[in-house]
Amino acid sequence: MASNVLCALCGLIIATIVNGQRSLCNSKEFWSSDIDQCVSCSTCKQYPKTPSCNTCTFTEERSDGWRLAAISSFSVLAVVLVAAGLIIGVMLHRRTANNRPLREPIEETTGPLYQA
């Protein structure tokens, strides 16, 4: 009976030491019992059959290239629309400026040929 308690106590001590070493690893690492140290989870991407890789959680790196393309294309579209609006406005202003009637009558002056 005493030997069972002693074995259980030794197992508990060993488990505590191993868990203590595992807790030293940060979230992007896992404990490798083969080399007794923390190993980066990036090795699991290169070597997926590495033991204890199942403890690593991978977040998919999303590509933001489409966002950059969308922002760029909308910016170019906005510049084109504003430029087109300005050009059309200037053209309409010129067209209507030439056809405006005079607001004040032209003063007729008498010259040497037309005496009053």
Side-chain angles (χ1 to χ4, degrees), residues 35-58:
I35 55 176
D36 287 333
Q37 64 180 1
C38 295
V39 178
S40 174
C41 285
S42 63
T43 59
C44 293
K45 289 181 180 179
Q46 295 173 349
Y47 308 105
K49 294 186 180 181
T50 304
S52 300
C53 273
N54 58 349
T55 60
C56 293
T57 56
F58 295 106

Side-chain angles (χ1 to χ4, degrees), residues 90-112:
V90 167
M91 290 173 63
L92 287 175
H93 178 70
R94 281 188 177 177
R95 177 179 279 177
T96 57
N98 292 338
N99 294 335
R100 285 189 193 160
L102 296 175
R103 294 186 183 192
E104 296 178 10
I106 297 174
E107 183 181 332
E108 296 183 14
T109 57
T110 59

Side-chain angles (χ1 to χ4, degrees), residues 17-33 35-41 52 55-56:
I17 291 172
V18 169
N19 284 337
Q21 290 172 337
R22 286 183 184 169
S23 66
L24 295 176
C25 301
N26 64 22
S27 63
K28 298 190 186 246
E29 294 179 334
F30 65 92
W31 179 257
S32 174
S33 58
I35 55 176
D36 287 333
Q37 64 180 1
C38 295
V39 178
S40 174
C41 285
S52 300
T55 60
C56 293

